[in-house]
Amino acid sequence: MTYHPSALPGGRVVDDRRQGIRVSRSRGVAGLAPGVAIVLALGACAQTPTGATTSSAAPAPVSASPTLPSTGSAPAPTEAPVVTATPSPIADAVLLAAGDIAACSKDGDSATAAILKQHPEARVQTLGDNAYDKGTPRQFRCFDDTWGVAFDRLQPALGGHDYMTAGGAGYFGYFAKRLAPFAPTANEPTMGWYAYDLGAWRIIVLNSICDRIGGCDAASPEVAWLRTELAQTPARCSLAVIHNPRFSSGRKENEPRVQPLWEELQGAGVEMVLSGDNHTYERLAPMTPSGQSDASGIRQFVVGTGGRSHYSFSEGAIHPNTEVRDDQTFGVLKLTLSDGSYAWKFLPEAGKTFTDEGQQDCH
């Protein structure tokens, strides 16, 4: 089932970065000693034109403080112009994202891995539930057979199925190299959160499997980390990854446990949240953490289309702020992250035609 509105709110939707110079003025001469004055007078005599009449009488007394010839007013000091350096523009960056990806008995992940191959310049962000059904090391080998083509540019996130093996051993073992630069929070099973820069953007990867990390409430370790992260590394444009969507339609509608995370993100002006868990694609209008439509709120993308399976929107209610949705197409969300804006486009598996694209300025 694919839904396209005839007009979408929020951006153009194609469906729509001296020095003064200190000038030291010379002190003016207040007076000359008599000897200097005589030298000046003799100098004047030496300049008597040829043929001029001279007197043998004693020279008239010379003032001890002669008035020097005027040379005009001294020019006012000038300052060098203030030069403000213009920072070089930050190049666009591309992020490909999807969740709910690999199962050894399925081939949908092969279809989405083919999309990753077509964009070798892009960073790849998983949205959780990477290997089904229990995230075992063996099942992560099936993930490696497909999405492993992009391993050196992968940024993983945790989902519930990744924890179905004790301590998330499959996830933390397979992604150890990718998580190591973000230690200690990224590679500890009781944490699993981190952040990184991509172009002009800050990407914040959170863990919404709350019962494995001491909760997601306002007093939790994760929210404390998030609050510090947002304060210490502010960015004009940023997005967050949270496997469980705060808002969605169909089988898995809304996840209130992650609202405290959204409240911190909203307070910092984060642009959007990328989620999986619901095996559908859905774009929702910007909202407050309580679900009220608000142009200054957070836009929710649900991209559970990595290849595992499809859910139907008929299995639950449709969120009133839904804009575009599809439950029949595997694919990957492509985000072009610019300095001050972003554009999105859903890239479908080969043979499918559903897409969704648009553009939006950052807050």
Side-chain angles (χ1 to χ4, degrees):
M1 172 176 65
T2 301
Y3 166 80
H4 286 280
S6 59
L8 299 178
R12 289 188 295 113
V13 177
V14 178
D15 130 359
D16 118 88
R17 262 170 302 289
R18 339 191 152 150
Q19 181 174 345
I21 297 177
R22 180 180 177 184
V23 178
S24 204
R25 193 194 303 262
S26 297
R27 180 178 302 174
V29 178
L32 297 175
V36 176
I38 293 171
V39 171
L40 290 172
L42 291 175
C45 292
Q47 297 176 12
T48 303
T50 303
T53 302
T54 60
S55 174
S56 60
V62 180
S63 170
S65 300
T67 302
L68 297 178
S70 174
T71 59
S73 301
T78 59
E79 293 186 356
V82 176
V83 178
T84 302
T86 301
S88 300
I90 301 176
D92 292 355
V94 177
L95 183 69
L96 302 179
D100 308 278
I101 301 168
C104 295
S105 59
K106 307 285 183 178
D107 58 7
D109 56 333
S110 296
T112 53
I115 301 172
L116 307 185
K117 293 179 185 179
Q118 295 167 9
H119 298 271
E121 82 289 357
R123 191 77 61 93
V124 179
Q125 176 67 62
T126 80
L127 305 181
D129 285 355
N130 300 277
Y132 282 83
D133 284 326
K134 296 184 177 181
T136 66
R138 176 183 174 276
Q139 289 166 354
F140 266 96
R141 287 199 293 271
C142 295
F143 176 97
D144 187 62
D145 288 343
T146 56
W147 277 49
V149 68
F151 181 83
D152 288 339
R153 49 197 174 103
L154 274 173
Q155 301 294 156
L158 281 153
H161 285 273
D162 299 310
Y163 270 117
M164 289 186 178
T165 293
Y171 172 93
F172 289 102
Y174 179 77
F175 288 119
K177 181 179 177 181
R178 300 301 303 163
L179 296 172
F182 310 103
T185 62
N187 50 9
E188 286 292 335
T190 57
M191 292 186 278
W193 53 76
Y194 63 99
Y196 63 96
D197 293 318
L198 184 60
W201 284 63
R202 187 71 171 168
I203 317 297
I204 304 164
V205 182
L206 297 171
N207 187 349
S208 60
I209 315 306
C210 304
D211 58 341
R212 302 300 180 99
I213 58 173
C216 297
D217 57 90
S220 67
E222 182 172 37
V223 169
W225 174 88
L226 176 58
R227 190 176 297 127
T228 300
E229 156 66 24
L230 293 169
Q232 291 184 346
T233 55
R236 180 184 176 190
C237 300
S238 55
L239 66 85
V241 173
I242 305 176
H243 173 67
N244 295 92
R246 175 68 186 91
F247 304 107
S248 184
S249 300
R251 179 186 294 190
K252 296 185 178 182
E253 299 172 13
N254 304 310
E255 180 49 80
R257 290 186 303 172
V258 301
Q259 180 164 335
L261 299 173
W262 268 63
E263 289 172 350
E264 297 296 331
L265 298 170
Q266 171 80 29
V270 170
E271 302 299 322
M272 62 182 126
V273 169
L274 309 181
S275 298
D277 196 38
N278 220 350
H279 296 190
T280 60
Y281 173 80
E282 187 172 18
R283 171 166 56 85
L284 297 101
M287 285 178 279
T288 66
S290 60
Q292 301 302 308
S293 181
D294 186 339
S296 64
I298 298 172
R299 183 183 293 283
Q300 172 84 73
F301 285 96
V302 180
V303 196
T305 55
R308 170 60 176 88
S309 61
H310 296 300
Y311 293 167
S312 172
F313 285 116
S314 65
E315 298 178 78
I318 303 302
H319 195 282
N321 287 329
T322 188
E323 293 184 327
V324 176
R325 60 186 184 270
D326 177 88
D327 59 6
Q328 300 177 11
T329 309
F330 293 130
V332 174
L333 178 65
K334 176 186 177 183
L335 293 172
T336 301
L337 305 176
S338 303
D339 191 357
S341 64
Y342 64 97
W344 68 87
K345 185 174 184 178
F346 181 81
L347 306 178
E349 61 183 309
K352 294 294 183 74
T353 60
F354 168 77
T355 191
D356 171 41
E357 60 183 305
Q359 181 177 328
Q360 182 74 49
D361 290 338
C362 296
H363 295 131

